[in-house]
């Protein structure tokens, strides 16, 4: 997602968002690349970065199946 689109969608202050983006990038949660004069944000490892596989389950998280 482009940073400028995130700012527009959320209606947040650019400086505050840049601070948070920089912190998340340093922690490895997101990757940031520049494309021209725009920053692109890529989801990184997030909360579950070390998950290798998920256990099978008979319970669905989809509410449409209830």
């Amino acid at each position: 997602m482009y940073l400028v689109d995130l700012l527009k969608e959320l209606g947040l202050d650019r400086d505050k968002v840049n601070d948070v983006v920089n912190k998340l990038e340093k922690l490895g949660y997101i990757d940031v690349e520049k494309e021209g004069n725009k920053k692109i944000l890529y989801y990184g490892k997030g909360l579950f970065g070390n998950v290798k596989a998920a256990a099978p389950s008979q319970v669905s998280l989809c509410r449409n199946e209830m």
Side-chain angles (χ1 to χ4, degrees), residues 4-17:
V4 68
D5 294 334
L6 179 64
L7 292 169
K8 188 186 310 180
E9 186 174 319
L10 298 176
L12 299 173
D13 177 61
R14 179 182 296 269
D15 293 332
K16 289 181 182 178
V17 172

Side-chain angles (χ1 to χ4, degrees), residues 8 10 16 22-23 27-28 30 32 42-43 52-53 64:
K8 188 186 310 180
L10 298 176
K16 289 181 182 178
N22 292 334
K23 288 177 186 176
L27 293 171
I30 62 172
V32 180
Y42 294 101
Y43 180 73
K52 304 290 185 227
N64 294 335

Side-chain angles (χ1 to χ4, degrees), residues 39-54:
K39 288 184 180 179
I40 304 174
L41 310 179
Y42 294 101
Y43 180 73
K45 66 179 181 180
L47 297 175
F48 307 106
N50 295 325
V51 173
K52 304 290 185 227

